[in-house]
């Protein structure tokens, strides 16, 4: 049962109510095990059409403005696999106006690809005309909540579908925050009917960085709205953890995945690998480790165990978003 | 003595403050101000938490810029490229939702901030770097622009009257042989020499999503420029002969040599196809 508040929103403000959006979220398919589509794997995918990956997630901004080889390959991939569009520049939490040109381009790509859903992050990327291309944290307050909820409703109305938002990795908290992230997301889904992308690695990273219990985080997370999960590797710096997407998933995150898989009712699961990207087969093998963690009881000792400290790396790498142009250029 | 302004608290103020702290590196922000807004963690101070975002901002964007200007980075060396890159990003922070636009103003920035800007004589190596940045960005843009793929290309047997330059073709002039340097880097040469000034005429074309670079002579560049302005082959031959003091038969003989390889490289589409395409666009 959705809250009275959500129903009031529907009656007073929206053509499509949060309940209706939530019903659309509940109807989203269970896609199985997927992989982030990366251009270093294009040739492998085009030559083999591998079956060990059931679906692909594409970075929306990499294709929204592309009219070349990348878009051509994506069309072929989308003909053979379910795809999901995952964005990094929606900036849903920004106090800058929503970028209508961006939303139109996003919608156009969605009309062409027919993705199972469109996702982005609970974050903001810039104000005053600047895009930092980083997933900056929001103060978790009633003010931010009202601001985000209004923008989520606007975006959903514009796109004509619910959006799916991901919990980001964060490295700082605000003195003014009054809500936990699960509380914030619960209220946000309640007020908008949006779906959620539960990044299990981000849960681990954020909880470590803020001294929180990741199991408790999952217990309070609004699982009924989760349509997708992310898995990824990170870099433990001892004093904090950086979300680097450049290595295998650690055991503690796999144990958290075991909890999340059961509580979300088998939400579509995707591996992100964005730095030091290994071969397609190696990524697929890492993805398929998920099958070992779908059943049974979580080992809480593994979750609580200290991580191995590694050298510093960049958070949320974006270098992989730049296509390799030099190798496709020839002189005559 | 001035009164310290109240710390920002509203969401717009907080976001403006945090963005300035991240992009500006926090040089003008005191620890007390940071502590007013940001919580320490169990192991890091509030300033150290903020520093994770500050360190990442330039490092992540530089990684992208390096990907967009591989040859320029090679020519400048890592340290100078990074110094220029950071200053460029300070001057022209990204305003686009896509990283594909990140390097759009880099060659302009280099021109505006060249070390010899106020010197009476310009240093050739700086001109080369600016030219190389222009070339590299032109090629980068070419990779993703709308192309001719899916539409017919002319062959050597296509009658001249049917030939038009294809839609994904650009003509460029540079003051240095930038293409040769770029492709030496692409071929893995560790230290290709910085070239001396030399006029360079190029055509960039895309065929089946493969980018081709053709070195042209000045008359060839002129000839293709005319065709790009929708001048027919026969009229372009006449114009070239007049402009270069040649006979039409000389130019026609040259054209017969050029045509085969240019068609093979995918420089030409078909007049009838372009007419159809234009009509479809109007509809």
């Amino acid at each position: 049962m959705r809250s009275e508040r959500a129903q009031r929103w529907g009656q007073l403000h929206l053509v499509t109510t949060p309940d209706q959006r939530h019903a659309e979220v509940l109807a989203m398919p269970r896609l199985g095990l997927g992989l982030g589509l990366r251009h270093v794997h294009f040739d492998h995918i085009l030559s083999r059409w591998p079956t060990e990956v059931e679906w692909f997630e594409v970075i929306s901004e990499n294709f929204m403005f592309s009219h070349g080889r990348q878009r051509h390959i994506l069309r072929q991939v989308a003909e053979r696999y379910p795809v999901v569009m995952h964005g990094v520049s929606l900036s849903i939490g920004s106090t800058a106006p929503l970028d209508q040109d961006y939303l139109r381009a996003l919608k156009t790509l969605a009309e062409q690809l027919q993705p199972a859903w469109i996702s982005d992050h609970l974050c903001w990327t810039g104000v005053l005309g600047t895009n930092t291309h980083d997933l900056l944290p929001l103060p978790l307050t009633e003010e931010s909540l009202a601001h985000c909820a209004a923008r989520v409703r606007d975006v959903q109305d514009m796109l004509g579908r619910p959006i799916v938002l991901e919990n980001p990795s964060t490295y700082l908290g605000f003195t003014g925050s009054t809500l936990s992230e699960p509380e914030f997301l619960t209220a946000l889904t309640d007020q908008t009917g949006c779906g959620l992308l539960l990044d299990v690695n981000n849960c681990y990273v954020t909880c470590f960085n803020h001294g929180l219990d990741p199991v408790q985080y999952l217990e309070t997370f609004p699982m009924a709205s989760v349509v997708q999960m992310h898995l990824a590797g990170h870099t433990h710096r001892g004093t904090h953890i950086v979300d680097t997407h450049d290595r295998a998933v650690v055991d503690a995150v796999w144990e958290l995945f075991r909890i999340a898989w059961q509580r979300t009712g088998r939400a579509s699961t995707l591996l992100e690998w964005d730095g030091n990207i290994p071969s397609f087969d190696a990524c697929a093998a890492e993805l398929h480790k998920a099958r070992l963690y779908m059943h049974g009881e979580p080992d809480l000792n593994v979750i609580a165990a200290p991580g191995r400290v590694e050298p510093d790396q960049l958070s949320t790498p974006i270098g992989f978003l730049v296509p390799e142009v030099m190798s496709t250029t020839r002189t005559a | 003595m001035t009164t310290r302004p109240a710390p920002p608290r509203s969401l717009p103020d907080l976001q403006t403050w945090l963005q300035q702290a991240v992009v500006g590196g926090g040089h003008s922000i005191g620890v007390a101000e940071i502590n007013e807004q940001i919580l320490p963690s169990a192991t890091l101070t509030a300033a150290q938490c903020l520093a994770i975002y500050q360190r990442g901002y330039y490092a992540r964007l530089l990684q992208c810029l390096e990907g967009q200007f591989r040859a320029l980075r090679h020519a400048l060396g890592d340290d100078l490229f990074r110094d220029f890159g950071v200053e460029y990003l300070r001057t022209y922070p990204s305003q686009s939702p896509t990283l594909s636009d990140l390097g759009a103003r880099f060659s302009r920035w280099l021109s505006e901030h060249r070390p010899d800007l106020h010197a009476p004589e310009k240093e050739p190596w700086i001109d080369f770097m600016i030219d190389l940045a222009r070339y590299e960005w032109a090629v980068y843009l070419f990779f993703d622009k709308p192309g001719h793929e899916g539409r017919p290309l002319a062959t050597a047997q296509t009658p001249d009257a049917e030939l038009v330059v294809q839609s994904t073709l650009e003509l460029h002039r540079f003051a240095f042989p930038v293409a040769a340097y770029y492709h030496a880097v692409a071929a893995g040469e560790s230290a290709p020499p910085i070239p001396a000034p030399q006029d360079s005429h190029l055509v960039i074309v895309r065929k089946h999503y493969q980018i081709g670079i053709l070195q042209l002579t000045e008359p060839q560049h002129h000839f293709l420029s005319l065709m790009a302005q929708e001048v027919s082959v026969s009229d372009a031959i006449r114009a070239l002969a007049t402009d270069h003091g040649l006979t039409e038969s000389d130019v026609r003989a040259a054209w017969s040599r050029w045509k085969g390889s240019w068609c093979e490289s995918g420089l030409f589409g078909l007049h009838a196809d372009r007419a159809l395409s234009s009509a479809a666009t109007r509809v």
Side-chain angles (χ1 to χ4, degrees), chain A residues 2-3 5-6 9 18 141-142 145-146 149 153 179-194 196 220 222:
Chain A
R2 310 289 292 165
S3 73
R5 190 175 179 184
W9 264 114
T141 63
E142 292 294 340
L145 176 60
R153 286 189 292 268
L179 300 167
S180 71
E181 198 165 82
E183 285 171 341
F184 190 98
L185 289 168
T186 299
L188 188 64
T189 55
D190 206 31
Q191 293 179 24
T192 66
C194 73
L196 295 177
T220 53

Side-chain angles (χ1 to χ4, degrees), chain B residues 123-178:
Chain B
E123 296 190 44
W125 73 269
I126 301 172
D127 288 327
F128 168 70
M129 297 300 171
I130 295 168
D131 244 18
L132 184 59
R134 278 179 52 222
Y135 172 75
E136 199 153 17
W137 188 250
V139 173
Y140 185 82
L141 284 185
F142 221 76
F143 179 76
D144 251 350
K145 68 184 293 188
H148 198 86
E149 286 86 1
R151 293 167 56 190
L153 289 169
T155 67
Q157 285 70 47
T158 304
D160 287 357
E162 277 297 305
L163 296 179
V164 290
V165 295
Q166 66 125 308
S167 53
T168 318
L169 178 146
E170 283 180 8
L171 291 154
H172 290 271
R173 292 170 192 264
F174 296 94
F176 290 83
V178 285

Side-chain angles (χ1 to χ4, degrees), chain A residues 61-62 64-72 75 88-89 93-96 99 102 124-139 141 143-144 147 169-177 208-211 238-240 242 312 314-332, chain B residues 9-20 22-23 34-44 46 48-50 52-53 55-57 59-61 63-65 67-68 70-71 93-100 102 135-136 139-140 143-147 149 179 182-183 185-186 206 209-215 265:
Chain A
E61 291 80 2
N62 249 24
M64 285 161 64
F65 310 102
S66 164
H67 304 279
R69 181 170 183 259
Q70 299 193 99
R71 189 70 166 261
H72 174 62
R75 274 195 293 271
V88 291
S89 287
S94 173
T95 50
D99 183 339
Y102 171 86
W124 59 287
T125 62
V127 288
L128 307 173
T130 292
N131 187 349
T132 66
H133 298 282
D134 201 352
L135 309 175
L136 297 171
L138 275 167
T141 63
E143 181 193 11
S144 301
H147 177 71
S169 284
T170 59
Y171 310 102
L172 64 80
F174 294 95
T175 54
S177 288
F208 182 89
N209 290 341
H210 299 287
T239 53
H240 60 284
V242 185
D312 200 10
L314 281 181
S315 64
T316 321
I318 51 178
F320 76 96
L321 296 173
V322 176
E324 169 49 49
V325 174
M326 196 176 251
S327 63
T328 68
T329 306
R330 300 280 181 270
T331 47
Chain B
R9 287 292 179 194
S10 71
L11 186 58
D13 282 350
L14 189 59
Q15 290 187 340
T16 301
W17 175 82
L18 185 63
Q19 180 170 293
Q20 286 170 348
V22 169
V23 173
I34 293 170
N35 289 339
E36 282 171 354
Q37 305 302 332
I38 295 174
L39 290 167
S41 75
T43 51
L44 297 176
Q48 287 171 323
C49 292
L50 175 62
I52 298 171
Y53 289 96
R55 279 197 304 273
Y57 174 70
R60 294 160 76 251
L61 293 179
Q63 208 175 50
C64 293
L65 211 55
Q68 291 173 338
R70 290 179 189 277
S94 172
Q95 297 184 318
S96 169
T98 169
L99 286 159
S100 300
L102 190 68
Y135 172 75
E136 199 153 17
V139 173
Y140 185 82
F143 179 76
D144 251 350
K145 68 184 293 188
E149 286 86 1
Y182 178 92
H183 291 284
V185 174
R206 201 175 78 204
Y209 301 104
Q210 186 87 33
I211 299 170
I213 315 291
L214 281 75
Q215 192 79 45
S265 297

